[in-house]
Amino acid sequence: MQENIGNRSTFTSLKWFNFFVYGTMVLFTSFFQLYLQDVGMNKLEIGVLMSIGPFVSIFANPFWGIWTGRYHNIRVIVLLMLTGTLLFSQFIFQANTYETIYTAIILFYFCQTPLFAQSNTLVLSYIYGSEHRFGSFRLWGSLGWALTAIAAGPIVQYGGVSVLSYLFAVLLGLSMVSLATLPKLRHSIGIAPMPFRGFRVLFMNPYFLFFIFFGILVSIPNTVNNTFMSLYINDMGGSKTMVGLAVFLSSIVEVGVFMLCDRYLRRKISVLIGWLALVSLLFALRWWLMAQSTTPLEVALIQILHSVTFGGFFYVGTELTMLLIPRPYRSSGQALYTLSWSGISGMLGGVLGGWLFQYLGAQSMYEFCVFLALIGAFGYGGMWLFVKWEDYRPHAVTEDTHEEDGV
């Protein structure tokens, strides 16, 4: 361990860094759509603009990962990313033409989309060799996300959506100060941003491909909701405070769901696929409730299901990837799984949801989400039956565990 790395002030700074970074991002994901609507964009234009982020992330993640691996100074790399995010965010808020805002948002996403992955690597690098667990630092990120959302709602309500640029700058500035107080780090745990070498093996695994395909169907509606929920509440006459409450309710118990899954969920392929089918049905129920909602408060309360649906699905999917893919190719499997959720689904969900919302209305948009989630649920149900009947056991999935991870 390095000198001065393991002191209490270092870990305190890491917690506040996570708090402010996640708090900054919730402003963009939950309130920025309201700003775009306020400056004259329709639902389809907003969806297209927001879908740029997942596309840019495909190139941005490897770019920043390569520089991190080359210079072994992740603190400086993350500081550069935060600086770029702050600079280009202000360009976005000052843009007065479509060309300017599209250019600014591409540059913004290039710095912002890899922030979560690089921040996680930063935290893991600082706590490496200590008794601290990553979950305690991730908890501060969740708190920053939830508390910033509920605090920002009334501020945006009374100050107007233009105040977002100031809130964004303040929180980014605080995250940069927290990062600057950290001692110099001369080692890093390393990061594999996009390990393409294992992709050929993954595409020869039909179980994994079906898992990814049905996962995309289930995750597209989740992207639709993340992008347009605030506009849905606004169209119902709800306030910015109600938007903040909805985001708060969607995230406040997320960590608890992860902890329960970690403690009680069996790492067994048939069990995990069965859970994916069940969670997909819960997704369908959630979207049906959204389609039937008539008041902003109903929409906000339904978001409590987010922690169970998204939290449960992403956790189970991560564990299932570890079991379906042989050990040498697991990093490739996790990369493709994450890409399917944040990349492919993000692009499709933004454009498709924007078109449905603009031309058919919010109720039809959420009814289509029910349809996609049900296809995913029945697909996973079929996979569960097939795995049970065929007694499926992938090769080399138990070599580094102490328990049997088969069916």
Side-chain angles (χ1 to χ4, degrees), residues 19-64:
F19 184 94
F20 292 128
V21 166
Y22 278 77
T24 302
M25 292 308 109
V26 75
L27 293 177
F28 193 81
T29 58
S30 304
F31 294 96
F32 183 60
Q33 300 90 322
L34 297 172
Y35 171 81
L36 294 176
Q37 182 172 259
D38 190 65
V39 298
M41 284 192 170
N42 63 35
K43 308 299 193 305
L44 178 57
E45 290 170 338
I46 293 172
V48 171
L49 190 70
M50 300 299 286
S51 70
I52 292 175
F55 177 76
V56 172
S57 70
I58 298 173
F59 308 97
N61 277 289
F63 174 85
W64 290 106

Side-chain angles (χ1 to χ4, degrees), residues 45-353:
E45 290 170 338
I46 293 172
V48 171
L49 190 70
M50 300 299 286
S51 70
I52 292 175
F55 177 76
V56 172
S57 70
I58 298 173
F59 308 97
N61 277 289
F63 174 85
W64 290 106
I66 289 170
W67 283 101
T68 300
R70 178 173 296 179
Y71 286 98
H72 302 289
N73 195 338
I74 191 169
R75 187 172 70 115
V76 172
I77 296 297
V78 174
L79 189 59
L80 287 173
M81 295 169 66
L82 289 171
T83 303
T85 301
L86 173 59
L87 177 64
F88 296 125
S89 68
Q90 298 310 303
F91 284 167
I92 293 172
F93 287 114
Q94 300 301 320
N96 52 19
T97 65
Y98 280 103
E99 293 79 8
T100 305
I101 196 169
Y102 272 94
T103 301
I105 204 152
I106 289 172
L107 296 172
F108 168 84
Y109 276 132
F110 194 81
C111 296
Q112 181 267 327
T113 50
L115 256 180
F116 286 145
Q118 293 287 347
S119 297
N120 290 342
T121 303
L122 175 80
V123 172
L124 289 168
S125 297
Y126 272 98
I127 67 175
Y128 180 76
S130 74
E131 72 279 5
H132 290 271
R133 304 293 295 271
F134 177 75
S136 63
F137 295 90
R138 178 62 176 82
L139 173 62
W140 278 74
S142 296
L143 289 174
W145 184 280
L147 295 179
T148 301
I150 199 166
I155 296 174
V156 176
Q157 177 68 31
Y158 294 106
V161 289
S162 60
V163 79
L164 278 175
S165 63
Y166 302 106
L167 293 176
F168 210 76
V170 168
L171 287 176
L172 271 176
L174 290 172
S175 65
M176 293 167 72
V177 170
S178 300
L179 186 61
T181 61
L182 292 171
K184 186 176 294 185
L185 185 66
R186 300 185 185 280
H187 74 277
S188 173
I189 63 169
I191 185 170
M194 193 60 66
F196 291 103
R197 292 180 59 187
F199 279 13
R200 183 177 62 85
V201 175
L202 303 184
F203 286 112
M204 295 176 63
N205 185 334
Y207 292 90
F208 183 72
L209 291 181
F210 277 114
F211 157 64
I212 291 294
F213 173 72
F214 294 128
I216 290 174
L217 295 182
V218 174
S219 61
I220 287 175
N222 189 67
T223 299
V224 169
N225 184 70
N226 289 343
T227 305
F228 297 105
M229 180 193 66
S230 59
L231 298 178
Y232 188 32
I233 291 176
N234 185 75
D235 286 358
M236 285 182 170
S239 65
K240 311 300 186 297
T241 302
M242 189 63 68
V243 173
L245 176 63
V247 178
F248 174 82
L249 293 175
S250 72
S251 57
I252 192 60
V253 296
E254 183 180 88
V255 174
V257 171
F258 285 135
M259 293 175 63
L260 288 173
C261 289
D262 193 50
R263 182 168 183 176
Y264 296 108
L265 199 61
R266 293 179 62 192
R267 294 182 72 249
K268 189 176 181 182
I269 290 177
S270 60
V271 171
L272 295 179
I273 293 178
W275 273 107
L276 287 181
L278 177 60
V279 172
S280 298
L281 286 175
L282 289 176
F283 262 123
L285 172 63
R286 181 182 168 193
W287 308 138
W288 180 81
L289 291 173
M290 289 289 285
Q292 304 305 312
S293 298
T294 56
T295 67
L297 182 59
E298 288 178 352
V299 173
L301 292 175
I302 293 168
Q303 303 316 305
I304 296 174
L305 288 172
H306 174 81
S307 295
V308 179
T309 51
F310 173 76
F313 194 102
F314 201 82
Y315 180 95
V316 173
T318 301
E319 291 293 319
L320 186 60
T321 299
M322 296 289 287
L323 299 183
L324 290 175
I325 302 301
R327 184 179 181 182
Y329 307 104
R330 285 177 180 171
S331 60
S332 298
Q334 294 293 350
L336 185 57
Y337 173 55
T338 303
L339 176 63
S340 70
W341 264 86
S342 61
I344 299 172
S345 301
M347 290 184 285
L348 294 175
V351 177
L352 181 61

